[in-house]
Amino acid sequence: MDTVPPSPSACLQHAGIVLPDGVSRAPLSVRDGRVASAPASRAHRIDLRDHLIFPGLLNAHDHLQVNAVPPLPHDAPFANSYAWIEAFQPHFHDAPVASALRHPKALRLRHGALKNLLAGTTFVVHHDPWHPALDAEDFPVAVLRDAGWSYALGWPAYGPPVPQSFAETPPGQAWMIHLAEGTDEAARSELATLDAMGCLASNCVLVHGVGLRDADIQRIIDVGAAVVWCPSSNLALLGATLDPQPLQEAGCLMLGTDSRLSGARDLLEEMRVALAHSTLTTRQLLALVTTDAARILRLEKRGSLLPGASADMVIVRDGGGDEARCLLAIERSEIRAVVRDGLPRIADPDFAEWFEAAGVEAVPVMLDGRPKLLARNLADPALLAMEQGLEPASSDARPAYDLRMEAQR
Ligand SMILES: [Zn+2]
């Protein structure tokens, strides 16, 4: 046997690579964590015929640390998010909530990141204070670092004060705030209030916007600010969401899951909810979580797989027809592989050789009943225990993988 050392270079051949302006059938080379214009001489070659490769998805809004906290049961929609926050307070004493919050914050952040990664999201905008755990080299996803934020106009104590935080954020960086998260007058008046404070500019990322009126939307477009649409969370809390069309047409819209406290299980599910509650096409929805988000957040290396981009990828089977629909039609367990910085992180067991060639130690797990290989550094038992549907593979599952892989050779 030859002893070629592990190489992180790979050449993905025969797949359809989903680019901003169409699908390329050229080989996709990965070197040093980036998409390269030519393969390295010793690149690990992978035949991906009948597959599509999408850029890793960008989730424009999450609170990573609360994704294992059970949502607040309620019968009727809230008029705004402040009413929901108030109603939530006694819920903190419920045993399942208290027990979910007893996990160390670093672990909870990691869990929220793993939730994203499992469904093809490789970059997240985390709307809460920065935490050293987010800097870990093996943190499951990349997180927007250079940004300012406040929490919300009506609940200022939770985050940095609005005028100060806005003023301290360089114009080239995003400044985020929950805004107009409701259907009542309080929510409807928030954009005008922010504007009157002198805190509405092209770097503003306004999360939710359900209460925005037509004139508000026009004002946002004129200023060149952006809105994060979180339809699942809006529908669960408020029984309503915004009309995404004008903001999408103006290139001012992104999509976010919010956390599972109110939102969808993951970004794939969020995209399906968005499709069901709008007239946006599947291709427009894909742009919201790739090219549009990368442009708005000024992330030159993300949202596409052009040479020089971060080699963050979602690989799925090509079901034929509209490529974006192939992605929207599947559950997270049907993703063939999620790749970050050129390295496979979770994938079907027949990609075992890629893990090996990339020097990524992988362990067998079950994701929603399907066998997968997961990078060992993401397979901490405490982490797996927090994610419903993800569990270590039982010891008798191992021979089944080997048999399956033998059958595919
Ligand atoms: Zn939020």
Side-chain angles (χ1 to χ4, degrees):
M1 258 182 80
D2 59 11
T3 50
V4 178
S7 159
S9 299
C11 179
L12 313 180
Q13 299 171 307
H14 312 302
I17 301 154
V18 181
L19 296 174
D21 54 358
V23 176
S24 161
R25 296 274 158 193
L28 188 139
S29 297
V30 170
R31 202 194 294 192
D32 300 327
R34 301 228 178 253
V35 177
S37 43
S41 56
R42 289 213 326 269
H44 178 66
R45 290 173 191 275
I46 303 163
D47 186 343
L48 284 176
R49 69 191 62 217
D50 304 323
H51 287 75
L52 293 169
I53 308 179
F54 293 87
L57 309 181
L58 285 74
N59 180 0
H61 187 66
D62 203 331
H63 305 266
L64 292 174
Q65 77 283 9
V66 288
N67 277 283
V69 178
L72 173 71
H74 62 277
D75 300 326
F78 295 95
N80 59 46
S81 58
Y82 309 121
W84 171 73
I85 290 170
E86 205 177 308
F88 201 95
Q89 300 311 308
H91 188 50
F92 279 115
H93 304 294
D94 293 351
V97 175
S99 117
L101 288 170
R102 260 198 295 275
H103 293 296
K105 189 168 183 189
L107 182 65
R108 290 192 281 122
L109 288 163
R110 222 170 148 76
H111 167 253
L114 183 64
K115 162 202 100 166
N116 277 282
L117 185 80
L118 294 174
T121 296
T122 53
F123 183 91
V124 175
V125 180
H126 170 62
H127 199 131
D128 274 302
W130 195 262
H131 186 284
L134 305 173
D135 289 317
E137 204 168 299
D138 65 349
F139 198 69
V141 295
V143 180
L144 181 67
R145 169 105 211 200
D146 298 319
W149 69 289
S150 289
Y151 194 83
L153 288 172
W155 208 42
Y158 186 71
V162 171
Q164 190 183 335
S165 165
F166 175 81
E168 287 173 357
T169 303
Q173 293 182 8
W175 180 75
M176 315 176 284
I177 186 167
H178 295 98
L179 191 107
E181 189 180 2
T183 53
D184 65 349
E185 187 49 37
R188 281 198 294 269
S189 65
E190 284 198 344
L191 187 84
T193 305
L194 190 73
D195 207 356
M197 292 167 85
C199 300
L200 182 61
S202 61
N203 64 333
C204 286
V205 171
L206 312 171
V207 183
H208 297 302
V210 180
L212 294 171
R213 293 164 290 203
D214 290 350
D216 296 329
I217 287 173
Q218 192 54 52
R219 174 79 180 131
I220 288 167
I221 292 170
D222 291 346
V223 166
V227 170
V228 184
W229 184 31
C230 306
S232 302
S233 174
N234 300 156
L235 293 163
L237 258 53
L238 313 168
T241 190
L242 56 72
D243 171 13
Q245 197 86 36
L247 289 160
Q248 182 276 327
E249 282 172 10
C252 298
L253 191 70
M254 298 184 275
L255 192 68
T257 55
D258 219 339
S259 76
R260 288 179 182 156
L261 260 189
S262 54
R265 180 173 75 161
D266 54 49
L267 196 57
L268 289 177
E269 191 178 299
E270 193 72 48
M271 288 169 79
R272 282 195 289 277
V273 173
L275 186 67
H277 288 85
S278 73
T279 53
L280 300 188
T281 66
T282 53
R283 193 166 279 272
Q284 288 168 333
L285 278 166
L286 178 64
L288 294 187
V289 296
T290 53
T291 47
D292 290 349
R295 176 178 39 75
I296 292 168
L297 297 170
R298 301 165 210 219
L299 306 166
E300 284 172 22
K301 308 276 184 212
R302 301 193 180 275
S304 91
L305 292 170
L306 296 168
S310 297
D312 288 5
M313 299 177 264
V314 188
I315 301 174
V316 308
R317 285 208 186 277
D318 186 352
D322 173 37
E323 293 83 25
R325 191 167 289 279
C326 290
L327 180 64
L328 261 89
I330 62 170
E331 298 287 342
R332 64 182 186 173
S333 65
E334 296 170 279
I335 294 176
R336 292 273 291 134
V338 181
V339 179
R340 209 187 133 215
D341 294 332
L343 306 176
R345 305 302 170 119
I346 181 158
D348 283 341
D350 57 309
F351 286 115
E353 283 179 10
W354 188 5
F355 280 95
E356 204 174 311
V360 177
E361 197 186 342
V363 296
V365 295
M366 298 297 286
L367 180 64
D368 304 333
R370 286 178 185 241
K372 297 281 175 185
L373 291 174
L374 177 65
R376 181 177 286 284
N377 61 9
L378 304 177
D380 169 5
L383 196 56
L384 265 55
M386 290 176 76
E387 179 60 12
Q388 212 173 9
L390 180 64
E391 53 195 10
S394 59
S395 52
D396 57 356
R398 198 64 189 258
Y401 291 165
D402 294 345
L403 283 172
R404 189 177 147 183
M405 287 176 64
E406 280 305 318
Q408 286 176 352
R409 284 208 172 102

